[in-house]
Amino acid sequence: MTVDRARLERRIGELSAVGGSATSVTRLGLTPEEQRARDVLSGWLRARGASVRRDPAANLYGRFGTDAGPAILVGSHIDSVPEGGRFDGALGVLCAVEAVEALLDDGVRFRRPVEVVTWCDEEGARFGIGLFGSSAAFGRLPDHAAQRTDRSGVSIADALRTIGESGDPTAARRDASEIAAYLELHIEQGPRLADRGVALGVVSDIVGILHARVTVHGRQDHAGATVMAAREDALAAAAEMVLSVESAARALPDAVGTVGEISVRPGAKNVVPGECVFSLDLRARHEETVEQLARDVRVAIRRIGDARGVRSSLDVLTRVAAVPLDPALRDLFLRSAAAVGVTAPELFSGAGHDAENAQLAGVPTGMLFVRSTGGSHNPNELATLDDAVQGAEALALALRELAG
């Protein structure tokens, strides 16, 4: 079984060009750029005989082999953060396509169906709901998800209708019994494999995540005529709240807390801010730590609001539990990596992935990391072609054992 190195390299470039400039990619979920990328992938899949469909949450499936029995699902996502890199998510889809093509090139006939899946809007950069497509497929969307809006007031339902769907992403839900296993390849997005000088790693478990939006209501006032003692400054209160998130996360083991978005109204230099909205990204390896961090942050936000005379609310956008991945598939990936010459370590994932939705829904799930450098969610993100080829080869071997 041989992966076509030149084909994989060419396709990395082709996909990167959709929403890309130099090494930067901006391909947000549920945008025309993401749809153009799906169209590119659809062409590759159909050319190899796949039955291609898009579900009501804009997930793309390319099905190979027999129609009988539960399928082996393999893939990742193709959306990005603003000014992100070329490999986050996209390499997993590219290697999934290449792994299937390598098996077909070698004359492998699938005894059970294989579906290459491209999840929609994993990042949640536009609407705030991370892992959107896989959450829809596995029945894990938050309530009223379709009504969530972006900064321009466009809802998820509107965005889906724009590309020809009904606007109801819950209709994308699949029966977990239709899926025998889910495999995902992804860049590590951290330094551990690079520090060890190892190309591949096997994911043992995935972080728990809470995404939320905090709205602080103060009182809009004149910046010159309002004395300091009379102010109800929403931004000043929010600034203190943001620092409390950092303090709460530092106080707990394996916990991280991030505020990556903030907006102020009315947003004029000579007006005391009357409203401030900021994002919350809380994560920890263990579920009880996520819960403790969320409690600590809520208490701090309430305390600061009371002390400063402002009101606040916290709206949970996404909640994904920490989860260990399937032991049998972990072992399969360890053996597959060894077969391509890599002694792969088992690693905990501090980033969230679509794989956790599959595992939480009862689908046996395995995940393979490919070494990356330059950080992630930025244009310096890099996975070498050599490492990508080894990842695709290990993925193909795992697929052959499960479905070939």
Side-chain angles (χ1 to χ4, degrees):
M1 186 276 304
T2 304
V3 162
D4 188 325
R5 182 186 179 91
R7 180 171 60 197
L8 180 57
E9 182 178 30
R10 182 178 69 252
R11 286 178 173 173
I12 290 171
E14 288 178 22
L15 194 58
S16 299
V18 182
S21 175
T23 61
S24 174
V25 173
T26 298
R27 194 165 56 227
L28 305 191
L30 289 168
T31 61
E33 290 77 19
E34 189 193 39
Q35 182 54 44
R36 287 204 301 273
R38 273 193 293 268
D39 290 341
V40 169
L41 287 160
S42 295
W44 296 340
L45 293 166
R46 286 195 174 97
R48 291 309 301 256
S51 172
V52 178
R53 69 181 180 90
R54 191 181 68 201
D55 73 13
N59 298 312
L60 182 73
Y61 297 95
R63 189 176 179 98
F64 294 87
T66 175
D67 286 333
I72 305 299
L73 215 57
V74 57
S76 191
H77 65 96
I78 52 167
D79 66 304
S80 77
V81 298
E83 299 180 17
R86 295 170 291 163
F87 300 96
D88 177 3
L91 188 66
V93 176
L94 290 160
C95 285
V97 174
E98 181 56 40
V100 170
E101 292 216 53
L103 293 172
L104 294 175
D105 291 343
D106 275 11
V108 172
R109 299 181 65 181
F110 296 127
R111 57 183 168 80
R112 65 182 357 155
V114 172
E115 291 188 3
V116 175
V117 61
T118 303
W119 302 115
C120 175
D121 194 11
E122 187 264 4
E123 300 288 1
R126 182 180 177 190
F127 295 100
I129 300 179
L131 313 180
F132 167 76
S134 60
S135 294
F138 294 113
R140 301 186 57 80
L141 279 176
D143 293 340
H144 312 297
Q147 281 69 57
R148 301 281 186 184
T149 58
D150 64 11
R151 293 176 181 177
S152 301
V154 177
S155 69
I156 286 176
D158 293 335
L160 286 168
R161 292 187 191 107
T162 297
I163 60 172
E165 300 299 340
S166 68
D168 178 13
T170 64
R173 184 167 186 172
R174 297 189 65 168
D175 185 341
S177 67
E178 299 174 355
I179 305 168
Y182 172 58
L183 304 180
E184 182 169 359
L185 177 147
H186 204 283
I187 61 169
E188 185 200 352
Q189 301 177 274
R192 293 169 297 177
L193 290 174
D195 288 348
R196 298 183 191 196
V198 179
L200 306 176
V202 176
V203 180
S204 59
D205 49 331
I206 302 178
V207 70
I209 303 175
L210 185 148
H211 283 162
R213 180 181 295 129
V214 177
T215 303
V216 183
H217 299 280
R219 189 180 67 243
Q220 180 177 330
D221 266 320
H222 193 288
T226 310
V227 299
M228 299 304 291
R231 297 184 178 210
E232 297 174 12
D233 187 326
L235 177 57
E240 192 172 342
M241 293 171 183
V242 170
L243 291 175
S244 77
V245 173
E246 182 183 55
S247 298
R250 283 180 170 174
L252 294 170
D254 294 323
V256 292
T258 304
V259 175
E261 297 175 309
I262 191 164
S263 62
V264 180
R265 291 183 61 192
K269 64 181 179 294
N270 59 347
V271 180
V272 177
E275 181 182 276
C276 184
V277 179
F278 63 90
S279 63
L280 272 182
D281 182 313
L282 308 179
R283 307 185 187 211
R285 181 170 187 171
H286 301 293
E287 193 61 19
E288 58 271 22
T289 309
V290 180
E291 295 296 337
Q292 183 63 55
L293 178 58
R295 284 194 297 271
D296 292 348
V297 168
R298 287 179 186 271
V299 168
I301 287 173
R302 190 179 308 114
R303 172 180 51 78
I304 294 164
D306 290 345
R308 286 184 165 270
V310 300
R311 295 175 292 107
S312 64
S313 60
L314 190 152
D315 180 22
V316 175
L317 303 176
T318 308
R319 179 71 177 92
V320 183
V323 61
L325 298 186
D326 185 77
L329 292 180
R330 267 187 265 167
D331 180 65
L332 173 59
F333 269 141
L334 289 169
R335 288 187 283 107
S336 298
V340 300
V342 179
T343 303
E346 291 193 42
L347 300 173
F348 156 71
S349 176
H353 297 288
D354 293 303
E356 56 197 304
N357 274 330
Q359 184 70 50
L360 288 165
V363 175
T365 297
M367 194 164 185
L368 186 69
F369 272 162
V370 172
R371 172 173 50 190
S372 59
T373 57
S376 188
H377 287 186
N378 72 65
N380 296 320
E381 173 185 280
L382 177 66
T384 68
L385 183 60
D386 286 343
D387 289 353
V389 167
Q390 280 194 299
E393 289 174 343
L395 188 61
L397 290 172
L399 278 175
R400 186 171 67 184
E401 183 165 327
L402 291 172

